[in-house]
Amino acid sequence: MENIDWKNLGFGYIKTPKRYVSNYKDGSWDTGCLTEDGTVALCESAGVLQYAQTIFEGLKAYRTVDGRLVTFRPDLNAARMVESARRLVMPPFPEQQFVDAILQTVRANADYVPPYGTGASFYLRPFMFGTDAVLGVAPATEFQFRVFGTPAGPYFRGGAKPISIRVTDYDRAAPHGTGHIKAGLNYAMSLYAIEEAHKLGFTENLYLDSATRTYVEETGGANFIFITKDGKLVTPKSDTILPSVCRRSLMHVAAYILGMEVEERHITLDEVRDMAECGLCGTAAVLSPVGRIHDHGKDILLPSGMEKMGPVCQELYDTLTGIQYGRIEGPEGWIREVEL
Ligand SMILES: *Cc1c(COP(=O)(O)O)cnc(C)c1O
């Protein structure tokens, strides 16, 4: 659209013309359709309002170097949303219908997908919530699934400049809790900690495992990857972190395209002192380099420094974004083209 300044987009909601809606009632999802109505009217006692019965996903559509419209691995978001739904006693949204909803939403808002070369993309937000009245604690019986999209610039202001984060004393996820699903409830309770981090000058919180406070988990909304001094990619293994599509894709890129050794295992905070590079990965930011980790009065300064992304993270970033923007051929099935 002519009135959008593609190069200076932030990460915020910009209303686009069409969104997808499907409703669940009497045991099944309807066929779903696109609508222009971006508001939701609900009973005041709706399950989502009273007991936070809501889950979401996040993925992007890109305009490629040769002008195609593509999405990146939407099938993984569909599958993950099924897992989230199960954990919050919501009816799984059919995976094929999920992918179709994504493609329809992109196609209907194609003018809002930023042009190639601007560094921006089209962020898609699928979500689902309980709509009928509950008062005693119980799952809702009626649900709505929606997908809207919005043009988005890079998630972290200042682009790929290394960030400072801090080790927080707050917990994100309990053992056997809900840390592995993408639910609003995990974010509601992280707001206090992130506000506090921002006030103290840090971009994000590093959460440790809440059982032993020994192992690195993730930040509020992104997984960690580390590069060791001998060039291995290591990433935390934990049942209480969200299985990031971006992290899983970077692991594959590292192992099968860049020929690196990749390890998914417990990583103690102590070990982080010996890492060469650290990055945060998630759809919104792809890979944000971390230059400094503040831990209770002491700093871990990554050798990659505060000026630019370390060389290995840069190579991973260039390869993955190269696949997303169509400059590099990706593994089979990673790119789903939106036919216009
Ligand atoms: C969404 C999310 C991520 C990143 O996942 P991607 O699939 O790569 O976008 C990481 N951690 C948390 C807690 C998340 O909610």
Side-chain angles (χ1 to χ4, degrees), residues 19-22 31-34 93 97 101 104-105 145-147:
R19 67 275 299 118
Y20 178 95
V21 184
S22 172
T31 52
C33 63
L34 293 169
F93 194 73
Q97 192 176 349
Q104 281 193 46
T105 306
F145 170 88
R146 296 176 80 98
V147 183

Side-chain angles (χ1 to χ4, degrees), residues 100-113:
D100 188 52
I102 295 298
L103 300 178
Q104 281 193 46
T105 306
V106 178
R107 190 182 302 125
N109 299 293
D111 289 347
Y112 287 78
V113 182

Side-chain angles (χ1 to χ4, degrees), residues 57-60 62 72-74 76-77 80 182 221-225 233 235 242-254 279-288 313 316-317 319-321 323-324 334:
E57 275 298 327
L59 69 161
K60 282 178 169 178
Y62 306 85
F72 183 70
R73 310 187 79 179
L76 296 192
N77 297 93
R80 191 169 66 188
K182 210 163 176 74
N223 285 179
F224 278 103
I225 60 164
L233 185 159
T235 184
L242 198 278
S244 155
V245 172
C246 189
R247 191 242 310 157
R248 285 180 274 163
S249 302
L250 288 168
M251 288 166 71
H252 185 100
V253 163
L280 293 179
C281 49
T283 297
V286 182
L287 187 55
S288 287
C313 280
L316 285 163
Y317 177 88
T319 308
L320 186 58
T321 54
I323 292 169
Q324 291 167 335
W334 279 23

Side-chain angles (χ1 to χ4, degrees), residues 90-163:
M90 303 168 87
F93 194 73
E95 295 179 46
Q96 197 47 54
Q97 192 176 349
F98 179 104
V99 172
D100 188 52
I102 295 298
L103 300 178
Q104 281 193 46
T105 306
V106 178
R107 190 182 302 125
N109 299 293
D111 289 347
Y112 287 78
V113 182
Y116 177 79
T118 56
S121 54
F122 189 70
Y123 183 79
L124 290 144
R125 171 53 60 88
F127 59 115
M128 184 204 290
F129 48 94
T131 52
D132 60 326
V134 295
L135 199 52
V137 177
T141 60
E142 295 176 10
F143 298 86
Q144 186 166 95
F145 170 88
R146 296 176 80 98
V147 183
F148 68 79
T150 193
Y155 187 74
F156 290 112
R157 262 168 289 151
K161 275 260 169 190
I163 55 172

